[in-house]
Amino acid sequence: MTVNGTITRALILLVLVVSSALFTWGRVMSGDVAGAVPWMVGGGIGGLVFCLVTCFAQRASPITAPLYAVCEGLLLGALSAFMQARYKGIVLEAVLLTAGTLFGLLLTYRLGLIRATEKFKLGVFAATAGIAVVYLVSMLLNLFGKNIPYIHESGAIGIGFSLVVVVVAALNLVLDFDFIERGEAVGAPKYMEWYGAFGLMVTLVWLYIEFLRLLAKLRR
């Protein structure tokens, strides 16, 4: 495993995400919403399945990571098109913010201004787990027609919550950088380049979606 090899594979996954996203984006923008929704739902389900398989079967990542990227692209393309139709220019803003955060944190990390110490890792992991629990509870409540008040609204609390989630998602990039560097340092197997690229892509997808949510709240 090398840093350069992981970057190459991350770029491959990014191309797959964008390519499949253009497919569902085009369908929604052309007015074929009914035709795009099944692809969007299928992509979301497939992305979750391949994400779990990759997490528990790292050796399969050279196969499952690209499949995850294609599925996530199908989801993101339709989701982005729906958001773009409601809030003009929001997709470009979210893309620029995601890219800017990635390169900004990468530069900060390379300059040694931020390091993934054990306390840092524990803090980011705890915050990420807490957010996951909140989202899981929210989804379960939605099944009964209820929702957690305020956090999904466009008021100060909702915007503040989204800002916190964006920061936590961004800090997960530091953990990804650290994992890739450590993998090269310890001589991890070659297939771990795909796993490292997969982890980076999962974080970027999450960050992009959270930027969309934050921008939508600010627009409202």
Side-chain angles (χ1 to χ4, degrees):
M1 179 181 183
T2 64
V3 171
N4 289 338
T6 306
I7 293 174
T8 300
R9 280 146 184 77
L11 290 175
I12 293 173
L13 295 184
L14 181 60
V15 169
L16 291 175
V17 169
V18 173
S19 299
S20 58
L22 289 174
F23 172 73
T24 46
W25 168 280
R27 286 209 166 211
V28 174
M29 286 303 185
S30 65
D32 185 17
V33 175
V37 170
W39 288 101
M40 177 182 176
V41 175
I45 296 174
L48 177 60
V49 170
F50 288 122
C51 179
L52 293 174
V53 172
T54 307
C55 289
F56 292 103
Q58 298 174 359
R59 287 183 176 275
S61 57
I63 297 174
T64 56
L67 291 174
Y68 163 82
V70 171
C71 289
E72 283 300 302
L74 294 173
L75 171 65
L76 292 180
L79 175 63
S80 299
F82 288 134
M83 296 294 283
Q84 178 71 11
R86 187 169 183 181
Y87 308 104
K88 298 299 181 183
I90 193 173
V91 171
L92 178 60
E93 293 173 3
V95 169
L96 291 176
L97 285 169
T98 303
T101 302
L102 170 63
F103 291 113
L105 274 175
L106 179 58
L107 178 61
T108 303
Y109 181 80
R110 296 299 295 176
L111 291 175
L113 300 178
I114 185 171
R115 282 295 171 191
T117 63
E118 291 305 315
K119 288 184 178 180
F120 179 90
K121 292 178 183 178
L122 181 61
V124 173
F125 177 79
T128 303
I131 292 169
V133 170
V134 171
Y135 280 165
L136 179 60
V137 171
S138 180
M139 286 189 292
L140 291 176
L141 289 176
N142 279 333
L143 296 177
F144 300 96
K146 300 183 181 297
N147 210 333
I148 299 177
Y150 305 120
I151 66 171
H152 298 298
E153 299 172 6
S154 56
I157 295 178
I159 292 173
F161 176 76
S162 286
L163 282 171
V164 170
V165 176
V166 164
V167 170
V168 173
L171 291 179
N172 270 270
L173 288 172
V174 178
L175 302 188
D176 294 327
F177 300 153
D178 179 72
F179 175 83
I180 294 169
E181 274 198 344
R182 288 178 179 272
E184 181 183 60
V186 301
K190 193 67 176 177
Y191 67 82
M192 291 299 288
E193 291 180 345
W194 283 105
Y195 186 74
F198 158 78
L200 184 60
M201 197 55 52
V202 169
T203 304
L204 288 175
V205 168
W206 179 29
L207 184 61
Y208 170 74
I209 291 175
E210 292 303 336
F211 269 128
L212 279 179
R213 289 167 55 85
L214 174 59
L215 291 169
K217 290 179 181 179
L218 291 172
R219 293 285 189 93
R220 292 200 299 268

